[in-house]
Each structure stands twice: as C-alpha cells, then as structure tokens.
Amino acid sequence: MRQINTLENCHNVNDFRSLAKKRLPFPIFDYIDGAADDEVTRRRNTAAYESCDLIPNVLAGVETIDMTTTVMGKKIAMPLFLSPTALQRLFHWQGERGVARAAEKFGTFFGISSLATVSIEEIGESISTPKMFQLYVHKDKGLNKSMVERCKAAKFDAITLTVDTIVGGNRERCLRSGFTSPPKITPASFLSYATKPAWALNYLFRENFELSNLKDHVAEGTNVALSVADYFSTMLDQSLDWTMAEEIRKDWGGEFCLKGIMSVEDAKRAVDIGATAIMVSNHGGRQLDGSRAPFDQLAEICDAVGDRIDVICDGGITRGSHVLKALSVGAKACSGGRLYLYALAAAGQAGVERTLGLLQAEIERDMKLMGVTSVHQLNRDNLRYRP
C-alpha cells in the first residue's frame, strides 16, 4: 500500500483521509470519519454515484470552460462549495479561519456552524466571498434569535437551517472512543493523544477551545464536555416544525436554505414556506443509518421543485465526476464536509486549498472530456443509469 506522508503525496480525497488519520488522535479522526450504526449510509453516499455513467461528446471546442454557477443568489467560481461543519479547531488549529480563506481564494461558498469555533463576527469581518450560517435550533429561544441577528449584522449571505438533527445519531465510534467537545482524555484514548504531540501542543498552547457562538448562552461544548450526539439530543429543540422554520425564514429575511431534505414531499413544503434553497443531505450518514443517498433522491426532487428552488446535492462527493453527475441530474451545485475536513486535519489551510484545487481541476478536465463548455449545458442526456 502506498504511504501518504506529506501534502504533496495527496492527490485525492482518500489520500487526505489517510494523512489525516496519521496526524489526529484516533477519537478525533473517528469523529470526522465515523457515522451512525453500521455506517451503511455513509458508504452508500459515495457508492451511489456509480449507479450511472457519463456519456461524453467530442469535437466540441472546449478550449475555454465556464464553471461558474449561481446558488442562493451568489455567483460562485465553481459548482462545489464547503458545507458548514462543527468543531473545526479540534481538527487543526487554523479551523474555520483556514477553511474560510481557502474558500475565498477559490471564489466559492462556505459555511460555519452554530457549533463553530470562531465567531460569526470574525468571519463576517474577514471574509469577502459568499458565506452561510448553519443554524441549529436550540431550546433557548433567545440564543436562536441572537444568532440570526448576529448573522444580519455580520452580513452573512444565507442561513441554512439543519432539519435532520432532532436527536443525535447513534455514532458508535464516538461511543467507543469517548469523544466529547471539549475533548476528554480517557485511559483508552491516552496513548493516541500522547503519540500525536503536534496536535496536542497546538490544542494546549494556542487560543482556548470554545464554541464561539454558543458560549455566552450554554456551557455545554465549551466548558462542559458533551458528545455531539448528546448535545443534539439534549440542547436542540425537538418541537422544531414547518411553522417554526417559516418563522425563522421570515425573521431572517434573506436567502434561506433547508439542509437535510430527502423526500419530494419535504422539498415541496420547503418551496411553500419560501425557502430559496434545499440541501439534499443525510448528514453524511451520521444520523439515520439506512437512509438513501442524496444522489439517489436527487432526480425526483429536481423534477418536482428544481424550477422553483435551488437544489444542492450534499454528501459523498470525492471526485469531480460526482459533481458533473449531480449537475446532469439537475442540481445547481454540490457541497460536502469530509472532502475538506480530511484536508484541514492533514495540513490546515494549505490542505483545504490543495483539495479544492484538485477537485476544481477534475471538474474542468472532466467537462472538457465530456465536451461541455459550461456547467449549465449538463443534462440527463449526459447520463445512462445502470440496470
């Protein structure tokens, strides 16, 4: 097996995964890498793209390629962006700052989570490219309102309401490792932390770890160690429904996305409440194991609402060809989390920039090989499903 020891050895998402595994204590790597129950859905998310083949055309004059698309009211330089994810300074000390700067360099959307480790205000002040805030609805209504108002003041471009975390998924790798936020070192995990001194020194001697957008309202996650699954199950509002989602949309007043839509019925209801985008997503297989893959649901959702709302395919993407398949089905853009978290853990901002550069090059090369000069030319004539 080829050894992946440096950033220069990383040529795809799986290479970054290998390097991240070497550089992180195992409880933290398993938090990124793991999923719910038997992790069937996590594997299916990527395997789903193998259900169909691309059909290229030739002699199309593809010297100049246009990868730009408009999603959630913003033009981005390529049809792939970085989904909001939690706890990023646990994976590398640069955290959300490094991810944001990498997205800015490549002219694409990125997001920060309610469970981010830098503040809404800092990102709003320092980053010029399109940015979204992932809202988890807490039982503390004052906290929810505060986060929305802070996003308005910081001039965020979109709020993305996550709708598939009413309870935490059964993430058994985290149960075995005892992973919490902030981390607790247990007898079982001590050796893993001790043998990753670079990570440990950065965690101990750089700025204190915190959930910057929550710390003034809740101690859990910043000062009180809690697993992410327990945080979802105890801190989030399980009464969240369509009425509340519409109220949040009205209060925000801007581009509004629902993340975690998997059925045609819910996609239609998203249109009805005035959402401007949906992310077809199963939370990376981290919530309901046995759920379908986003790509498998994409065609019928695009057929039902694709002319009325931006449909984003989120999850399982590891190749530029996956992006082209999703766009051919009808998605406006694609997004992912692990595809950049492995790179962040492996090498910080430089890793995220390298993975974005590799994926951008794959998209451009594959478009030329497909005989299309614009992402908007892609359609279902470019696909054949396997029997």
Side-chain angles (χ1 to χ4, degrees), residues 11 318-321 358-367:
H11 299 288
T318 61
R319 288 290 186 183
S321 60
L358 290 167
L359 287 164
Q360 182 185 58
E362 287 185 13
I363 294 169
E364 180 175 358
R365 179 170 57 249
D366 290 350
M367 285 177 65

Side-chain angles (χ1 to χ4, degrees), residues 114-230:
S114 295
L115 278 68
T117 57
V118 300
S119 71
I120 292 167
E121 289 77 12
E122 179 181 338
I123 294 297
E125 289 171 1
S126 60
I127 303 298
S128 61
T129 44
K131 43 197 169 286
M132 68 172 64
F133 181 75
Q134 178 195 38
L135 179 65
Y136 285 121
V137 175
H138 288 69
K139 294 175 182 177
D140 184 338
K141 291 180 170 54
L143 171 57
N144 299 330
K145 186 172 182 59
S146 169
M147 289 191 288
V148 171
E149 293 303 316
R150 290 168 68 184
C151 287
K152 289 180 184 178
K155 294 182 169 52
F156 269 60
D157 299 288
I159 276 186
T160 298
L161 174 63
T162 295
V163 295
D164 59 4
T165 54
I166 291 298
V167 295
N170 182 36
R171 304 178 188 183
E172 293 180 356
R173 287 206 230 176
C174 291
L175 294 175
R176 294 188 185 99
S177 71
F179 174 82
T180 59
S181 171
K184 286 192 304 185
I185 298 177
T186 67
S189 64
F190 172 79
L191 185 62
S192 180
Y193 287 101
T195 55
K196 300 294 189 293
W199 180 92
L201 289 171
N202 280 319
Y203 179 74
L204 291 172
F205 295 108
R206 293 186 185 272
E207 64 185 299
N208 291 337
F209 176 82
E210 65 179 28
L211 302 185
S212 303
N213 302 308
L214 304 176
K215 63 176 183 174
D216 294 334
H217 292 261
V218 296
E220 287 80 0
T222 296
N223 299 315
V224 177
L226 198 67
S227 74
V228 172
D230 285 343

Side-chain angles (χ1 to χ4, degrees), residues 42-165:
R42 179 206 183 286
R43 295 189 294 273
R44 185 180 293 157
N45 282 357
T46 296
Y49 294 99
E50 299 175 11
S51 66
C52 64
D53 301 320
L54 292 166
I55 308 297
N57 294 307
V58 297
L59 300 177
V62 292
E63 182 179 5
T64 302
I65 293 293
D66 180 10
M67 285 190 286
T68 63
T69 189
T70 299
V71 63
M72 290 178 282
K74 294 294 180 179
K75 187 175 182 179
I76 54 177
M78 63 177 173
L80 177 67
F81 66 88
L82 308 181
S83 296
T85 58
L87 311 180
Q88 290 181 19
R89 280 203 290 119
L90 283 186
F91 316 140
H92 188 278
W93 63 268
Q94 291 177 323
E96 289 89 350
R97 298 179 181 110
V99 172
R101 287 191 291 266
E104 186 174 49
K105 181 174 180 178
F106 281 83
T108 195
F109 245 113
F110 75 100
I112 66 167
S113 170
S114 295
L115 278 68
T117 57
V118 300
S119 71
I120 292 167
E121 289 77 12
E122 179 181 338
I123 294 297
E125 289 171 1
S126 60
I127 303 298
S128 61
T129 44
K131 43 197 169 286
M132 68 172 64
F133 181 75
Q134 178 195 38
L135 179 65
Y136 285 121
V137 175
H138 288 69
K139 294 175 182 177
D140 184 338
K141 291 180 170 54
L143 171 57
N144 299 330
K145 186 172 182 59
S146 169
M147 289 191 288
V148 171
E149 293 303 316
R150 290 168 68 184
C151 287
K152 289 180 184 178
K155 294 182 169 52
F156 269 60
D157 299 288
I159 276 186
T160 298
L161 174 63
T162 295
V163 295
D164 59 4
T165 54

Side-chain angles (χ1 to χ4, degrees), residues 139 166 168 220 226-227 229-238:
K139 294 175 182 177
I166 291 298
E220 287 80 0
L226 198 67
S227 74
D230 285 343
Y231 189 96
F232 288 165
S233 296
T234 59
M235 305 300 292
L236 301 190
D237 189 349
Q238 295 187 17

Side-chain angles (χ1 to χ4, degrees), residues 118 153 169 187 272 300:
V118 300
D272 291 342
E300 58 184 289

